Amino acid sequence: MAQYTLEPFKIKAVEAIHLTTRDEREAFLRKAGYNVFSLPSRAVMIDFLTDSGTGAMSDHQWAGMMEGDESYSGSVNYFNLKRVVKDIFGFDQFVPTHQGRGAEQVLFGVVAGPGKIIPNNTHFDTTRANVEARGSEALDLLIPEGLDPTNRHPFKGNMNISALEKLIERVGAANIPLAMMTITNNAVGGQPVSMANIRETKALLARYQIPFFIDACRYAENCYLIQQREDGYRGKSVKEIASELFSYADGFTMSAKKDGLVNIGGLLAARDPALFEQLQNRLILTEGFTSYGGLARRDLEALARGLEEAVDEKYLAYRIGQVRYLAERLLESGVPIVEPPGGHAVFLDAKRFLSHIPLGQYPGEALAIALYLAGGIRTSEIGSVMFAHKNADGSEAFAPLELVRLAIPRRVYTQSHLDYVAQVISDLYRERDAVRGVRFTYQSPRLRHFTARFELV
Ligand SMILES: *Cc1c(COP(=O)(O)O)cnc(C)c1O
């Protein structure tokens, strides 16, 4: 039986969930063109669309919001944040940004450009877009195990080091302004990266004098999974693990909407003083002054406190425990998921779940629609609707995986919510033959998943 980890908090404010009937959901879906992105949040009972900026702040963070010192420059809250960034990450030089892509835009605005190549274990979509917007190439160098949903490798987010070395040899270090490591590796299922892999990546890059940057959105979850899964880290605290991990980094970007436990915010840090000066100058041009970076100072205080709460091991045991609990409940009912589960989400394998639906009828999208209809659960398709591209003859090259992501917001849902979700999904799995595929009735040329409209086949 799946074990649930006690929530290390109790609830002080509640937000109503609007309960709906299947008939009501059917009407909402028709109005939304069968695209769950287009549903109003009030039509959703359990919202697993994303874990980004959807978490609950603590009373301590809310109290900090009242202590916002809204001075344009040098506010108290900036210095509080600076102390925490130094304490956890070991960086003296950092700037706040309005969210993760703000940090990316500033960083790649300075270091990227035509002809340059940025390797990453796997780029998140905004990271890729910011690299490509500067005319550079964004290259994903993941280990092969990372794309096999049934392979139980403990660190499926790892960088493919030999591929990275071949790349450097082929294009030359001068064309690689930096290499990045995304922890956890969001695009392949929140899969962690091992410390050994980070150390080896750093050693290789150091030989060629290529700076090593970390996309740190879910660094605390990654450090917790290192503690749980990697030899030699059982006895270390998550904070000690984070200290070691960031000691290998020359800089990092972070969307604080994940392990910053805030609803908006980001960070950008770099050790090299000359580079940092350029980053500051670009930040002032696009985000805001260096001591607030596009945020209210009360947001900086919430972030300083959130960063500290997110490395608390009781919190992380509960957080990762929720993901594992949901995964285990689903496995008990035979539901096909990506194994082992990563840090922030459970991924359903729609190819195996709906094996009767051909790829051309988008099994991932079909499953996301069916989950909403069955239980008011909103998820997102991570498959061909999101990632397919067109072949030269106009036909579609399908994505390697057809997944449906159940991203769990931080500190928002309780065990009974997860039990409800597990029940809805296992009931649907038993009745899966009745689920129908979909076809597009509208699609935009780029990022079509956001605005597409569908009908059931
Ligand atoms: C969310 C995310 C980003 C972008 O952050 P935003 O705050 O959404 O702009 C970048 N990288 C990864 C790995 C992410 O998960």
Side-chain angles (χ1 to χ4, degrees), residues 74-193:
S75 105
V76 171
N77 316 106
Y78 167 74
F79 290 109
N80 289 344
L81 179 59
K82 191 172 167 65
R83 200 178 53 243
V84 172
V85 167
K86 170 76 179 170
D87 181 44
I88 294 176
F89 304 102
F91 276 72
D92 291 308
Q93 301 183 120
F94 85 101
V95 285
T97 61
H98 82 280
Q99 60 184 85
R101 73 199 68 181
E104 292 166 352
Q105 177 270 122
V106 169
L107 176 63
F108 294 116
V110 168
V111 304
K116 304 282 187 215
I117 296 167
I118 311 285
N120 197 322
N121 49 347
T122 313
H123 287 85
F124 180 65
D125 56 8
T126 62
T127 322
R128 167 176 294 279
N130 271 298
V131 169
E132 291 176 349
R134 300 287 301 159
S136 297
E137 188 185 343
L139 215 57
D140 295 339
L141 301 176
L142 180 71
I143 56 166
E145 291 89 338
L147 287 181
D148 173 0
T150 57
N151 189 311
R152 294 198 56 100
H153 190 295
F155 292 102
K156 286 167 86 169
N158 278 358
M159 178 83 81
N160 184 335
I161 309 244
S162 61
L164 178 60
E165 180 153 27
K166 282 196 197 105
L167 171 78
I168 301 171
E169 287 293 328
R170 182 165 60 81
V171 304
N175 291 313
I176 304 177
L178 59 83
M180 232 176 177
M181 185 77 97
T182 305
I183 64 170
T184 56
N185 194 333
N186 186 4
V188 301
Q191 295 290 330
V193 176

Side-chain angles (χ1 to χ4, degrees), residues 368-385:
I369 291 169
L371 285 174
Y372 174 72
L373 265 181
I377 302 163
R378 176 154 67 174
T379 55
S380 62
E381 188 254 21
I382 312 266
S384 291
V385 169

Side-chain angles (χ1 to χ4, degrees), residues 344-411:
H344 68 286
V346 174
F347 287 71
L348 304 177
D349 184 350
K351 257 189 220 174
R352 283 186 288 152
F353 197 118
L354 300 176
S355 53
H356 62 288
I357 296 184
L359 293 183
Q361 292 177 16
Y362 306 104
E365 197 66 36
L367 184 52
I369 291 169
L371 285 174
Y372 174 72
L373 265 181
I377 302 163
R378 176 154 67 174
T379 55
S380 62
E381 188 254 21
I382 312 266
S384 291
V385 169
M386 191 176 270
F387 290 128
H389 56 267
K390 294 273 187 264
N391 291 318
D393 64 2
S395 65
E396 217 162 83
F398 295 107
L401 299 174
E402 302 292 339
L403 304 178
V404 169
R405 184 179 74 172
L406 313 167
I408 305 185
R410 293 167 180 77
R411 303 192 291 204

Side-chain angles (χ1 to χ4, degrees), residues 116-317:
K116 304 282 187 215
I117 296 167
I118 311 285
N120 197 322
N121 49 347
T122 313
H123 287 85
F124 180 65
D125 56 8
T126 62
T127 322
R128 167 176 294 279
N130 271 298
V131 169
E132 291 176 349
R134 300 287 301 159
S136 297
E137 188 185 343
L139 215 57
D140 295 339
L141 301 176
L142 180 71
I143 56 166
E145 291 89 338
L147 287 181
D148 173 0
T150 57
N151 189 311
R152 294 198 56 100
H153 190 295
F155 292 102
K156 286 167 86 169
N158 278 358
M159 178 83 81
N160 184 335
I161 309 244
S162 61
L164 178 60
E165 180 153 27
K166 282 196 197 105
L167 171 78
I168 301 171
E169 287 293 328
R170 182 165 60 81
V171 304
N175 291 313
I176 304 177
L178 59 83
M180 232 176 177
M181 185 77 97
T182 305
I183 64 170
T184 56
N185 194 333
N186 186 4
V188 301
Q191 295 290 330
V193 176
S194 70
M195 190 74 87
N197 188 254
I198 288 171
R199 215 181 290 121
E200 281 176 51
T201 303
K202 170 65 182 177
L204 171 65
L205 295 171
R207 270 200 275 133
Y208 293 92
Q209 296 182 327
I210 299 170
F212 181 40
F213 270 62
I214 290 179
D215 179 338
C217 299
R218 298 181 181 78
Y219 83 93
E221 293 170 5
N222 199 105
C223 290
Y224 183 77
L225 289 166
I226 287 176
Q227 186 195 59
Q228 300 298 304
R229 295 180 186 176
E230 189 163 354
D231 285 345
Y233 289 93
R234 261 279 167 194
K236 296 223 159 99
S237 72
V238 167
K239 240 180 116 189
E240 285 167 338
I241 295 170
S243 274
E244 180 188 341
L245 195 155
F246 283 94
S247 74
Y248 302 126
D250 298 298
F252 69 90
T253 58
M254 179 172 179
S255 168
K257 299 166 72 176
K258 285 78 174 231
D259 282 351
L261 285 174
V262 288
N263 303 112
I264 196 74
L267 295 171
L268 170 61
R271 290 198 204 279
D272 174 19
L275 171 62
F276 186 66
E277 193 179 316
Q278 285 179 287
L279 297 176
Q280 279 185 311
N281 289 336
R282 187 165 172 98
L283 183 95
I284 293 169
L285 195 69
T286 56
E287 291 275 299
F289 189 62
T290 53
S291 63
Y292 72 88
L295 295 171
R297 273 56 72 197
R298 62 180 84 98
D299 296 328
L300 304 181
E301 189 60 37
L303 175 52
R305 296 178 184 207
L307 285 169
E308 285 182 325
E309 291 177 12
V311 287
D312 173 4
E313 303 199 8
K314 300 220 173 49
Y315 157 75
L316 283 166

